[in-house]
Amino acid sequence: LPRGAVWPLPAYELALMTAAWLAAHETAGVELALATPEAWPLELFGRAAGDAVRSLLDEAGIAFHGRAAPDAVEAGWLRLDPDRSIPADRVVAVPRLVGPRLDGVPQTVDGFLLVDDHGRVAGLEGVFAAGDITRFPVKQGGIAAQQARAAAEAIAADAGIAVEPQPFRPVLRGLLLTGTRPYYLRHNIARGGVADWAAEAPLWWPPAKVVGGRLLPFLAELTGDELGAEPQPPPGGLAVEVELSSAPADDGWPDEEAFELSPGRTVREVMTPDPLVVAPTLTLDAVAQAMRERHEGSALVVEAGRLVGIVTSRDLVRAVAFDAPARVSTVRHWMTALPVAVAPSTPVAVAVALMAEHGIHRLPVVDRSGPIGTITLRAAVRASPPAVGLGF
């Protein structure tokens, strides 16, 4: 499992089902391992569910390598980080998700859209989104169905239909295939509502992979299944105690303390201070004029003292290519929302790695007071030790 936006369940299923196949065919001499940035198995579903899945992995003889970020396959080894590798003859990776670039729509650096609890896209009137394209950290079909329902109710209310739209309050349900007995996982991400469980008995009906309040009845009608009431958790179920927020996992600010003990030069030493700062409501022609006067290739977009985006000369070229009226179109529609940013105490080598990973050439530098500078790839490379590899 790589870092970033992923759906982890298939990796666990592949490992468990492979182990079951090997056992059924009495195949000896094969070792299986699962490497993931998670602290414990299926961390998304909470600690109790993770303990249940760890037991399944242990029973199947699958080694678990947590807090690891698989990086590369090199000569029969899977490199997890600079100081840790595991032997690997075959490696299967779950893809990291990125969104398609949508011109005129504010997106994060990975292409995701910022939406509220009713699916409204930030800064765009009458535009809604649901599913994997949103910045909600869980990428799963059942979650997408719940987001779509909230958006549909909001759209109906806007159209004058007498309905009170309910906000998106996610409940995560996962069916884990193991090669033997399946495991049913249910986690209430929002506060209140249904209980959380991990059990071998079905927690919803029919026990499909993708679950949705409107989706399941539709699928059941197509297949001829009878829905009935949702089953109650069985006595042997495990309560999941960990709650997840429906907000993104971080607050958008880098951890100032995270790199204090790291060696080498820091971003503060090589950054360009006093960055060009603009408001999201500024028009494209105004920001282009400001960038020309300051001889800058980018501007940081700040709202209420907080970094909300970055607009570059490349963004302005895109807007011109799509005939966006420069005197009317605003920065908000063409910026990269919630860009990758670093704290001033971040090591320069870390900044280089971030820019290489995301394919960008400059990073905002922020502290708790807001943006204080920018660091470019050229300046970072010049300040990095020769051992730093960019990968391009």
Side-chain angles (χ1 to χ4, degrees):
L1 282 165
R3 283 198 182 101
V6 299
W7 175 235
L9 220 64
Y12 290 86
E13 290 182 322
L14 181 60
L16 291 166
M17 295 173 73
T18 302
W21 188 93
L22 292 172
H25 290 75
E26 299 181 353
T27 304
V30 179
E31 298 180 3
L32 298 174
L34 194 150
T36 171
E38 302 162 297
W40 62 80
L42 282 183
E43 183 178 2
L44 189 63
F45 285 89
R47 174 66 78 173
D51 290 342
V53 175
R54 184 183 288 275
S55 296
L56 294 176
L57 296 176
D58 291 342
E59 290 175 12
I62 300 169
F64 178 79
H65 299 271
R67 301 185 187 279
D71 183 51
V73 180
E74 299 172 332
W77 292 84
L78 175 64
R79 189 175 72 223
L80 304 182
D81 51 51
D83 302 318
R84 184 166 45 149
S85 297
I86 57 175
D89 296 312
R90 298 289 186 273
V91 176
V92 177
V94 172
R96 193 182 81 175
L97 303 181
V98 295
R101 182 57 56 185
L102 303 175
D103 290 292
V105 179
Q107 296 175 265
T108 69
V109 69
D110 286 327
F112 300 121
L113 305 183
L114 283 67
V115 298
D116 64 12
D117 287 344
H118 297 279
R120 292 186 176 88
V121 176
L124 294 178
E125 184 177 355
V127 179
F128 293 77
D132 292 354
I133 190 65
T134 69
R135 191 175 180 249
F136 189 72
V138 181
K139 309 297 183 184
Q140 190 235 20
I143 292 295
Q146 296 171 55
Q147 288 179 306
R149 177 171 180 169
E153 290 181 351
I155 293 170
D158 289 352
I161 296 176
V163 59
E164 183 175 349
Q166 298 300 310
F168 170 54
R169 292 293 179 262
V171 176
L172 181 60
R173 297 175 175 89
L175 171 58
L176 177 68
L177 301 178
T178 67
T180 54
R181 59 190 188 277
Y183 246 71
Y184 297 86
L185 309 172
R186 184 173 70 190
H187 180 42
N188 187 21
I189 300 178
R191 295 171 179 261
V194 299
D196 297 338
W197 294 91
E200 296 180 28
L203 299 179
W204 56 89
W205 193 263
K209 262 288 190 180
V210 180
V211 188
R214 300 289 182 181
L215 182 61
L216 265 185
F218 172 73
L219 295 178
E221 183 179 351
L222 291 179
T223 58
D225 293 329
E226 294 185 6
L227 278 177
E230 182 171 310
Q232 294 299 310
L238 298 174
V240 178
E241 299 174 352
V242 178
E243 287 189 353
L244 295 181
S245 168
S246 60
D250 59 72
D251 64 358
W253 295 93
D255 185 356
E256 181 73 29
E257 309 298 330
F259 305 109
E260 279 192 353
L261 301 179
S262 301
R265 302 186 69 181
T266 65
V267 165
R268 188 190 301 275
E269 300 175 62
V270 298
M271 72 178 187
T272 301
D274 188 27
L276 174 60
V277 173
V278 300
T281 54
L282 197 66
T283 59
L284 294 182
D285 63 340
V287 73
Q289 178 68 17
M291 290 168 61
R292 187 176 70 85
E293 292 174 354
R294 287 277 301 263
H295 302 285
E296 297 277 3
S298 66
L300 304 185
V301 187
V302 174
E303 190 171 37
R306 188 179 180 87
L307 178 69
V308 297
I310 184 172
V311 59
T312 67
S313 54
R314 180 181 298 180
D315 296 322
L316 298 180
V317 170
R318 283 196 303 119
V320 171
F322 280 83
D323 295 326
R327 294 185 179 181
V328 178
S329 297
T330 63
V331 169
R332 188 190 298 277
H333 293 169
W334 294 90
M335 69 182 185
T336 296
L338 299 182
V340 178
V342 292
S345 58
T346 303
V348 171
V350 172
V352 171
L354 284 173
M355 285 186 274
E357 178 182 357
H358 292 281
I360 53 182
H361 293 270
R362 67 183 68 236
L363 289 174
V365 183
V366 300
D367 60 16
R368 289 289 172 177
S369 65
I372 62 172
T374 58
I375 179 172
T376 64
L377 182 59
R378 176 177 297 181
V381 170
R382 287 177 175 174
S384 300
V388 173
L390 298 182
F392 60 84

